[in-house]
Amino acid sequence: MPTDPPASPWKRSPQRPDAKPRAQRRTRGEEVVETSGSGAPAPHVARNEELRLYGFNAVQAVFARRPDAIRKLYLAEDRIPRLQPLLKWCVANRVGYRVVDEADLRKLAASAHHEGVVADVLREAPQSLTAWLETLPPEPCCALWLDGVGNPHNLGAILRSAAHFGVSAIFLPKHSPLALSGAAARVAEGGAEAVPFVRLGRDDNAIAQLRGAGFQLAATVVRGGEDVFAADLPQRLVYVLGAEGEGMDAALAGACDLRLSIPGSGVVESLNVAAATAVLLAQWARA
């Protein structure tokens, strides 16, 4: 039998998992105000500033790196032993958690792949390129520029490979809607906490800044590029990756210093963007 965790700030009850105990809520008209144990209103957090994560490694990675970002926790009873350090931290810091059943976890995660734990956490805002460059150490460095990539499972797989190979950042174009989601974080298996997002300004300004910091940009293309396995890759490199199907913006590809392709048998047209990223990063790491 699993050992019960310390007393939870939330009571176990058959009510729906997104409801809050009466002792922890006050109502002003239709507005629900969360309170701390002292009854003082908790700081308001806008809905778009929070992210619902699920998956054991995704939640554990947030706990290891920025535990103060955790706002609520839901877990299956059989996860209590493995999550004891997190549960004790929740009690010590008055963060609510609740043991819920499988059906509730599926509803909370909107997925069957919750792995027994769901958490609401504060979303980490992307850095600016200027801020990122200011803290970059003077050593070999690889970053990824994602132009049009939107599938959350591809993003998650890219983040996992990026974390594995020590990528320094994921660059997001100025108007890209791409953002970390629960699905992407689960597929990343903790990698989402290891690789920062950097929001770019205008493409031409970003390229100038990166070149000024010693980077070369490589457009990754299905055909017509230099064989990545034979190319002399620079120590400071930005791989520019386009969406499957339409690829990257032609003007952006034309502004890059290199054009690289991954040779194959020709039986299929190409690798998908996540698989291609892993190959490209492995080649940079061994160069």
Side-chain angles (χ1 to χ4, degrees):
M1 293 291 291
T3 304
D4 281 340
S8 166
W10 289 356
K11 296 179 181 178
R12 287 188 185 180
S13 70
Q15 63 187 325
R16 60 186 176 84
D18 59 342
K20 300 181 180 63
R22 293 182 183 276
Q24 285 188 291
R25 57 189 284 167
R26 297 204 310 267
T27 306
R28 297 175 185 165
E30 295 182 355
E31 179 189 6
V32 174
V33 181
E34 294 190 27
T35 63
S36 66
S38 64
H44 175 72
V45 177
R47 188 176 296 274
N48 62 359
E49 292 178 0
E50 283 194 357
L51 172 65
R52 177 156 289 176
L53 295 181
Y54 56 93
F56 185 81
N57 287 334
V59 173
Q60 283 288 85
V62 174
F63 176 51
R65 178 171 168 262
R66 49 189 189 107
D68 289 343
I70 299 172
R71 288 295 177 262
K72 296 172 189 170
L73 183 71
Y74 310 87
L75 68 154
E77 189 166 7
D78 62 6
R79 278 300 190 188
I80 291 173
R82 290 194 69 187
L83 290 170
Q84 278 289 327
L86 174 52
L87 295 176
K88 290 177 180 177
W89 183 91
C90 285
V91 171
N93 292 275
R94 307 192 67 82
V95 172
Y97 70 84
R98 182 177 294 163
V99 178
V100 297
D101 61 23
E102 169 69 18
D104 286 334
L105 284 169
R106 283 178 177 242
K107 290 177 183 177
L108 287 160
S111 170
H113 304 294
H114 51 72
E115 299 172 4
V117 60
V118 176
D120 289 337
V121 306
L122 290 179
R123 185 182 291 278
E124 192 167 26
Q127 301 177 41
S128 70
L129 180 58
T130 299
W132 179 75
L133 288 172
E134 285 175 350
T135 60
L136 194 65
E139 59 189 35
C141 176
C142 186
L144 303 175
W145 182 320
L146 304 186
D147 181 56
V149 177
N151 182 286
H153 292 90
N154 278 338
L155 176 59
I158 288 170
L159 283 165
R160 185 172 183 175
S161 294
H164 179 80
F165 288 107
V167 165
S168 297
I170 300 286
F171 296 155
L172 304 177
K174 182 177 181 179
H175 298 297
S176 170
L178 187 63
L180 186 67
S181 65
R186 183 195 66 80
V187 173
E189 294 287 357
E193 288 296 311
V195 186
F197 286 104
V198 173
R199 179 68 68 181
L200 304 176
R202 282 175 31 184
D203 286 357
D204 55 349
N205 287 343
I207 291 171
Q209 281 186 273
L210 288 165
R211 285 180 176 149
F215 284 91
Q216 292 185 49
L217 281 74
T220 56
V221 295
V222 172
R223 61 184 65 85
E226 184 180 0
D227 182 341
V228 69
F229 301 123
D232 184 15
L233 298 179
Q235 290 194 326
R236 287 197 159 196
L237 176 63
V238 177
Y239 282 123
V240 183
L241 302 156
E244 291 186 58
E246 64 229 43
M248 73 185 69
D249 178 79
L252 176 59
C256 290
D257 305 289
L258 307 168
R259 293 174 66 88
L260 300 174
S261 297
I262 300 172
S265 66
V267 174
V268 294
E269 183 181 23
S270 65
L271 297 170
N272 87 349
V273 66
T277 298
V279 173
L280 293 165
L281 291 178
Q283 184 60 18
W284 179 83
R286 69 182 294 274

